[in-house]
Amino acid sequence: MPMQKAGTEIRQNPIRFKNLVREAEERLQAMEISSTEIEDLMQPVRELDQTEFWENQDDGLAIFISPRVFRYYRLPIECQELVVVGNQFHFKPLLHLINSDRHFYLLALSQKDIKFFEATRSELHEVEVENMPNSVDEALMYDETAKEGQFRIATSKGSNTNPFTRSQPGAFHGQGSPDKDQPQEVILQYFHAVDAALHEKLHDETAPLILAGVEYLHPIYREANTYPHLQEQAITKRPELFQADELHAQAWEIVEPLFHQPEQKAIDLYQQLAGERTGTTSSDIKEIISAAYYQRVDSLIVPLGQQIWSTFDPDTLAVDLHPEQQPEDGDLLDLAAIHTLLNGGTVYAVEPEKMPNDEPIAAIFRY
């Protein structure tokens, strides 16, 4: 169910919740489940209906319940109001969230207080990075000449462990003052040290890295950067001027299109193969459900917010489609998605208008 998070409309949340619980109970009754079994099954759901529960919600709510399982999830996305009662859980509404909720990194550049964050669509949290200097002052060692406006960057003698020595051995000298912004060359050496620490943490990673900070710092850091997944688009504003949720929102705007690239490639490939009539694509739900069951589906594209109600017999592969949901029905789109995932395929849940050729479902077969 979708959730209202502010204003007087939040009063609708418990009402909508009760209505959906009642609908689930009616569906169970239609399946001739006994009143005692229904009562026992739904009791944990009813116990959620407390003030504290409603005060801690997000954009959506998903509840999964069976005689052996009870789970509920606060979702960072709005979802369709839907009750499904059947022999398996209905996962398709969550696939879009799973596909687009991969993690990314954010580096908030500053000469005085640099910060590194790990984030997903739903959360942003700061991460400590071992050996990463948090400021220019921490990275620099001022000697007595600093009194006369001189400074130097110290490097270890006879050792190559100091990250600064990667680009310049010995000591770098220049004009400046400890209480003013440092010259570009010093900032560059500082960012080399930051990059060296991040290299140790991210050397096996492929997640996008976003920069945030005043504009003049960006090209300096890019010169020092060795992480191959640093993004061109960045946030050009002092991070300390942001609230955490604002910084997170701007970073998500940058990375969200990146997370949809695999889905678009699958759509393009489907259209190409379908146009070439290779026999390795299909939009026939009956053919796809059988192929998904027998591990033939490599990529599956399904529309969000839509269902195809039916019964499916895995022994005979018989499919009986219904225009409206019947007591024993499941959603064939959901069933195809689950079996594709279980058999090592990839599922893309997209908005209906993004479905290739306006098909109700689209599959690319392994053979």
Side-chain angles (χ1 to χ4, degrees):
M1 60 177 280
M3 301 294 292
Q4 301 296 326
K5 296 174 62 177
T8 58
E9 292 181 347
I10 63 173
R11 300 172 184 170
Q12 296 298 316
N13 292 334
I15 297 172
R16 179 181 288 117
F17 175 82
K18 289 183 175 70
N19 289 338
L20 294 176
V21 169
R22 186 179 304 110
E23 182 178 345
E25 291 173 338
E26 291 171 355
R27 298 279 185 86
L28 291 166
Q29 290 170 359
M31 297 173 69
E32 299 183 352
I33 307 296
S34 72
S35 298
T36 301
E37 288 179 285
I38 295 174
E39 178 71 23
D40 291 343
L41 185 66
M42 301 302 292
Q43 184 62 29
V45 184
R46 295 192 191 90
E47 291 175 355
L48 290 179
D49 190 11
Q50 305 290 334
T51 301
E52 183 180 358
F53 176 74
W54 297 116
E55 289 176 347
N56 295 278
Q57 289 299 327
D58 211 326
D59 293 314
L61 174 66
I63 299 177
F64 298 93
I65 185 166
S66 79
R68 292 174 298 280
V69 175
F70 176 67
R71 299 284 189 275
Y72 66 89
Y73 300 93
R74 300 178 179 93
L75 308 177
I77 59 171
E78 290 188 10
C79 51
Q80 180 189 35
E81 184 175 304
L82 181 67
V83 174
V84 178
V85 178
N87 294 320
Q88 63 184 37
F89 290 133
H90 186 81
F91 288 116
K92 184 162 60 68
L94 304 185
L95 293 177
H96 180 66
L97 173 62
I98 293 169
N99 288 341
S100 64
D101 204 34
R102 289 173 289 174
H103 74 285
F104 63 96
Y105 298 109
L106 175 67
L107 182 63
L109 299 173
S110 171
Q111 294 188 51
K112 297 181 179 180
D113 188 21
I114 199 166
K115 293 181 182 295
F116 180 71
F117 300 90
E118 185 171 3
T120 63
R121 176 177 183 153
S122 56
E123 61 182 2
L124 172 83
H125 63 274
E126 187 175 355
V127 177
E128 295 292 331
V129 180
E130 188 175 359
N131 297 323
M132 188 177 80
N134 291 322
S135 67
V136 174
D137 289 347
E138 187 177 320
L140 301 182
M141 293 175 59
Y142 291 95
D143 62 11
E144 293 181 359
T145 60
K147 298 175 183 177
E148 300 174 0
Q150 300 289 321
F151 60 84
R152 72 175 182 176
I153 297 176
T155 60
S156 57
K157 297 181 179 180
S159 169
N160 200 35
T161 58
N162 192 306
F164 289 83
T165 63
R166 298 186 308 155
S167 58
Q168 184 170 331
F172 172 81
H173 292 273
Q175 297 296 322
S177 171
D179 58 356
K180 294 181 180 179
D181 282 350
Q182 303 293 348
Q184 179 173 327
E185 293 87 348
V186 177
I187 300 172
L188 176 61
Q189 297 301 313
Y190 164 48
F191 284 163
H192 274 302
V194 172
D195 175 71
L198 286 179
H199 177 76
E200 292 300 313
K201 182 173 183 61
L202 303 179
H203 64 279
D204 290 328
E205 282 284 348
T206 59
L209 172 63
I210 307 298
L211 294 182
V214 291
E215 190 169 2
Y216 79 89
L217 291 177
H218 290 225
I220 305 175
Y221 186 83
R222 291 182 188 280
E223 185 175 346
N225 173 68
T226 59
Y227 185 63
H229 307 288
L230 177 66
Q231 301 302 304
E232 284 297 325
Q233 194 173 353
I235 300 170
T236 53
K237 184 177 177 181
R238 290 186 181 276
E240 61 268 23
L241 299 180
F242 281 99
Q243 296 291 330
D245 56 349
E246 294 175 316
L247 186 63
H248 184 207
Q250 287 214 12
W252 177 250
E253 285 183 9
I254 294 173
V255 300
E256 184 179 20
L258 301 176
F259 293 155
H260 289 298
Q261 287 178 354
E263 143 192 320
Q264 187 58 51
K265 289 180 180 179
I267 292 172
D268 293 343
L269 179 59
Y270 174 87
Q271 291 174 321
Q272 175 189 335
L273 295 175
E276 295 172 353
R277 300 184 183 277
T278 61
T280 57
T281 64
S282 178
S283 59
D284 184 323
I285 183 60
K286 293 184 178 181
E287 180 182 14
I288 291 173
I289 194 67
S290 174
Y293 195 79
Y294 284 107
Q295 307 180 28
R296 287 183 58 210
V297 177
D298 179 74
S299 298
L300 183 71
I301 307 166
V302 293
L304 288 166
Q306 297 184 5
Q307 296 82 35
I308 298 177
W309 302 115
S310 172
T311 56
F312 171 68
D313 187 338
D315 295 325
T316 64
L317 302 182
V319 174
D320 187 11
L321 299 176
H322 301 135
E324 300 291 336
Q325 185 180 9
Q326 303 298 314
E328 300 291 339
D329 281 357
D331 174 19
L332 280 190
L333 299 176
D334 185 70
L335 188 65
I338 289 173
H339 281 292
T340 297
L341 291 171
L342 288 174
N343 292 322
T346 305
V347 178
Y348 301 99
V350 304
E351 297 297 336
E353 60 270 18
K354 293 188 67 176
M355 288 297 297
N357 306 330
D358 294 324
E359 304 285 8
I361 188 172
I364 300 174
F365 297 146
R366 293 187 170 107
Y367 57 89

